[in-house]
Structure formats: C-alpha cells, structure tokens
Amino acid sequence: MTLRNPSFFLLPLLLLPSVAPAQDAIQLLDFARRSIASMNGTFDGSLILGSGRKRVPFVLETAPNGAMRYHFNKPDEILSVVIGRRPSGALGRIVRGTDITMEDLSMWYLTWPAGKIRNESSAGMSFFVVPVKNVHNIGSYSRADVWIHQKSMGLFRVDAFDQNDNLLRRMDVEHIRSFGPQKIADRLRVSTYKRDRKVSSTYVQLVKERP
C-alpha cells in the first residue's frame, strides 16, 4: 500500500492508547467497529471528489450506539445508517455521485463471518487482517479484508472484493484528530477499483464539531 506522508497522517494512530489483546477475530472486528461507532456529537463535513474540485457539504449526527445521520441539502436529504448493520433500502445506492454507497457508509461487513487472522505490516506499523465473507447473497461485495491497527485496535483499512473476487473498493483511514475528549477518524478515503487499478476516489472529511 502506498501512503502519502505516513508520518503526518498516521502519527495520531500511534498515539492512541493500547488496549487489551483481542482473543479472536470476532473481538478484533468488534474493536474495529467501536473505533468508528463510538463517535458522539454533531459534525460539519464534506465529501470531496478526486482533486477537490467538487465538494458536497453535510452535517453528521452521531450517537455512541453507532447510529449516524448524514444531512445534505440542495436537494435536502437524510441518510441514516448504524455502523455494522445492514442498511435499509438499496445497498448499492450511490451517495451524491461519489465513490461511496450505502453499503460503505454502514460498514456492515464488520459483522460478517470471519476467517483466519493474519499479520501484516505497512509503513512501519503492525496490523491484524481479518478476512470476512458475505453469506447473505446480496450487495456488491463477496468478501472483504479488514485491517486493524495492532496497538490501538482501530480500523485502518478495508479492501472489498466483488463477486468475481476482484478488488472493487478500498477504504483507508488517513487521519485521526481530537474533538474534545474523542479521537476520531476525521479523514477517510474511499477508492473505486477496476481491474486492480484505482479509477476514482472520494474523501470523507470532518471539519468541526458543533457545540
């Protein structure tokens, strides 16, 4: 994996407190889910397409049970998901002309059946990689590899594969920052692949927390 300025983007990940070692893949996936789902508050953000020429602003309401509500305007729209749960409606529905679908927003692959854990390293850091399989016969993805940082147990990356086992989408946590007492992934990159080549990317950027 190629990282841009890894010392800048990933240093906050190294500063997160260590947690007790997980015993199995299910625990690892639960740690990864909670690293995203524990957000609590209301945030201003943007979906940023490609080089940044197009930005789609949103307001994100979150609750510590993993519930998230994305508020868009022009036209007005509210998209609701719970991290780790299958979203209602069409899984492949594209969000505002970006690389992101409802399936991606919900990260429901974090509750799929898990396979054997493997260890990987990248940019001088160590990760658990948990393979998960879609046994529901719906959605765009047949399986995914979930990368989890071994020190913080935070979600770092997800590689999702189509029904022909080709890489279709990659989600990277690019940066983590503090919003009050919370350490939150404030910049995610979601990239679409065709024939193992990246063809486009969308960034999910949180800008500030509302009082």
Side-chain angles (χ1 to χ4, degrees), residues 26-78:
I26 300 301
Q27 285 183 310
L28 284 172
L29 291 173
D30 189 54
F31 278 127
R33 183 188 61 79
R34 284 189 283 157
S35 73
I36 302 295
S38 61
M39 291 173 59
N40 187 24
T42 301
F43 304 86
D44 290 326
S46 293
L47 303 179
I48 305 169
L49 280 70
S51 61
R53 286 192 295 269
K54 181 179 178 181
R55 291 174 179 257
V56 181
F58 62 81
V59 175
L60 174 61
E61 294 180 310
T62 67
N65 66 351
M68 297 191 173
R69 288 165 56 89
Y70 291 82
H71 297 256
F72 298 96
N73 57 25
K74 297 181 182 179
D76 291 343
E77 183 180 34
I78 299 175

Side-chain angles (χ1 to χ4, degrees), residues 5-145:
N5 298 325
S7 60
F8 171 76
F9 285 120
L10 301 177
L11 180 60
L13 194 63
L14 298 174
L15 299 178
L16 290 175
S18 299
V19 297
Q23 299 300 312
D24 57 32
I26 300 301
Q27 285 183 310
L28 284 172
L29 291 173
D30 189 54
F31 278 127
R33 183 188 61 79
R34 284 189 283 157
S35 73
I36 302 295
S38 61
M39 291 173 59
N40 187 24
T42 301
F43 304 86
D44 290 326
S46 293
L47 303 179
I48 305 169
L49 280 70
S51 61
R53 286 192 295 269
K54 181 179 178 181
R55 291 174 179 257
V56 181
F58 62 81
V59 175
L60 174 61
E61 294 180 310
T62 67
N65 66 351
M68 297 191 173
R69 288 165 56 89
Y70 291 82
H71 297 256
F72 298 96
N73 57 25
K74 297 181 182 179
D76 291 343
E77 183 180 34
I78 299 175
L79 300 179
S80 299
V81 296
V82 178
I83 298 300
R85 294 186 190 175
R86 174 186 166 186
S88 60
L91 295 173
R93 177 184 175 188
I94 295 173
V95 177
R96 295 282 169 148
T98 69
D99 293 272
I100 301 170
T101 65
M102 292 298 293
E103 196 167 11
D104 300 319
L105 281 185
S106 70
M107 298 185 182
W108 78 306
Y109 40 69
L110 295 177
T111 54
W112 289 353
K116 184 178 179 181
I117 302 166
R118 68 179 190 267
N119 293 286
E120 299 282 355
S121 61
S122 181
M125 295 179 292
S126 297
F127 300 92
F128 296 114
V129 179
V130 181
V132 294
K133 185 176 181 180
N134 184 354
V135 297
H136 307 281
N137 296 319
I138 56 173
S140 301
Y141 308 137
S142 64
R143 67 178 184 90
D145 286 342

